[in-house]
Amino acid sequence: FCGDPMPFFHNGVFHVYYLLDKDHHGYFKNPGYHQWAHMTSTDLVHWQHQPMALEIDDLTKELSICTGSVTYHDGTFYAFYA
């Protein structure tokens, strides 16, 4: 499942980051185990899936990467999330 799209535009490329359930909540009994997936387009018609943008790396410490936003400033991309 996926949801909560987070659009971002930079240098002629549309980016959509979105929450993606890892293993459809199969790791824990409670829902909400989300990480950020990423897709891009230059024309909003043809889309390309990119590698995961923010993954859950440690199942003992990270339970969810929530909805947020992306911005760019002075050569650095920033991701803000809960």
Side-chain angles (χ1 to χ4, degrees):
F1 289 113
C2 65
D4 296 6
M6 300 165 270
F8 175 69
F9 181 79
H10 180 72
N11 286 345
V13 179
F14 296 95
H15 300 258
V16 176
Y17 299 92
Y18 56 96
L19 299 183
L20 182 66
D21 290 351
K22 186 167 185 167
D23 196 29
H24 190 55
H25 303 306
Y27 287 102
F28 298 99
K29 293 180 181 177
N30 297 322
Y33 188 59
H34 304 300
Q35 51 194 346
W36 283 22
H38 180 207
M39 60 184 179
T40 58
S41 175
T42 56
D43 61 8
L44 297 177
V45 175
H46 303 95
W47 290 89
Q48 196 170 16
H49 288 276
Q50 303 297 331
M52 294 297 288
L54 290 172
E55 291 185 273
I56 301 292
D57 295 322
D58 186 341
L59 298 177
T60 64
K61 295 178 183 175
E62 301 170 322
L63 298 178
S64 183
I65 300 173
C66 300
T67 305
S69 60
V70 175
T71 189
Y72 176 85
H73 180 70
D74 287 340
T76 302
F77 292 92
Y78 297 92
F80 299 92
Y81 55 92

